């Protein structure tokens, strides 16, 4: 299979995992086996991104590396901005479910895993690895 085909398949898998994480992020708090499944799903979410990054670095494909970098930067920046907006809104006494849902859409693995540090670490790892050279 051509490398472009593999790349498209990995992006499609990444999109499907994103949709799964968004859906699981709306379920709420889980306990026991369910919680372990949610955490595992959030961790698996980052595997296609890592594979794309490794493939891009190995083949010296700057476009692929740049795409992964842009996705990671956008997720991190939008997560921080929406998180701060949510805190300010809550402090002002105007809790907004719309802002909460937007944060879920921007950082789906964060809500899915229920441990926010997992998602932030995953995105930060992808971002920092995108600056590595072969």
């Amino acid at each position: 299979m051509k490398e472009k085909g593999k790349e498209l398949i990995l992006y499609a898998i990444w999109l499907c995992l994103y949709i799964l994480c968004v859906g699981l992020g709306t379920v709420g708090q889980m306990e026991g086996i369910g919680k372990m499944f949610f955490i595992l799903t959030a961790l698996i979410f980052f595997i296609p991104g890592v594979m794309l990054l490794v493939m891009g670095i190995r083949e010296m494909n700057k476009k692929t590396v740049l795409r992964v970098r842009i996705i990671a930067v956008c997720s991190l920046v939008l997560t921080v901005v929406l998180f701060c907006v949510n805190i300010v809104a809550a402090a002002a006494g105007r809790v907004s479910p719309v802002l909460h849902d937007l944060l879920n859409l921007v950082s789906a693995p964060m809500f899915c895993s229920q441990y926010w540090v997992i998602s932030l670490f995953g995105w930060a790892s992808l971002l920092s690895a995108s600056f590595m050279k072969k």
Side-chain angles (χ1 to χ4, degrees):
M1 181 181 289
K2 292 184 178 182
E3 296 305 318
K4 193 70 171 170
K6 288 180 186 176
E7 189 176 324
L8 287 173
I9 289 172
L10 284 172
Y11 280 118
I13 292 170
W14 207 6
L15 177 64
C16 290
L17 287 169
Y18 168 78
I19 292 168
L20 178 63
C21 283
V22 168
L24 293 177
T26 61
V27 171
Q29 298 293 322
M30 293 292 292
E31 296 295 327
I33 300 288
K35 189 172 193 171
M36 288 174 35
F37 173 73
F38 280 36
I39 293 169
L40 188 61
T41 303
L43 290 172
I44 290 171
F45 169 81
F46 291 100
I47 292 174
V50 170
M51 291 174 70
L52 283 164
L53 195 57
V54 167
M55 197 167 66
I57 291 171
R58 187 180 304 141
E59 297 168 4
M60 295 186 177
N61 185 345
K62 292 181 181 180
K63 286 184 179 181
T64 301
V65 173
L66 185 61
R67 277 189 208 114
V68 173
R69 182 181 302 154
I70 289 170
I71 291 170
V73 165
C74 288
S75 179
L76 285 169
V77 169
L78 289 172
T79 297
V80 169
V81 168
L82 284 171
F83 188 72
C84 291
V85 169
N86 270 294
I87 290 174
V88 169
R94 298 182 180 225
V95 176
S96 172
V98 173
L99 287 175
H100 189 267
D101 291 342
L102 280 174
L103 185 58
N104 183 21
L105 287 174
V106 167
S107 191
M110 185 168 74
F111 279 79
C112 180
S113 71
Q114 301 174 13
Y115 293 109
W116 293 26
V117 71
I118 293 173
S119 173
L120 295 174
F121 180 76
W123 285 120
S125 297
L126 277 176
L127 177 62
S128 62
S130 72
F131 289 104
M132 299 176 103
K133 299 198 179 204
K134 188 172 181 183

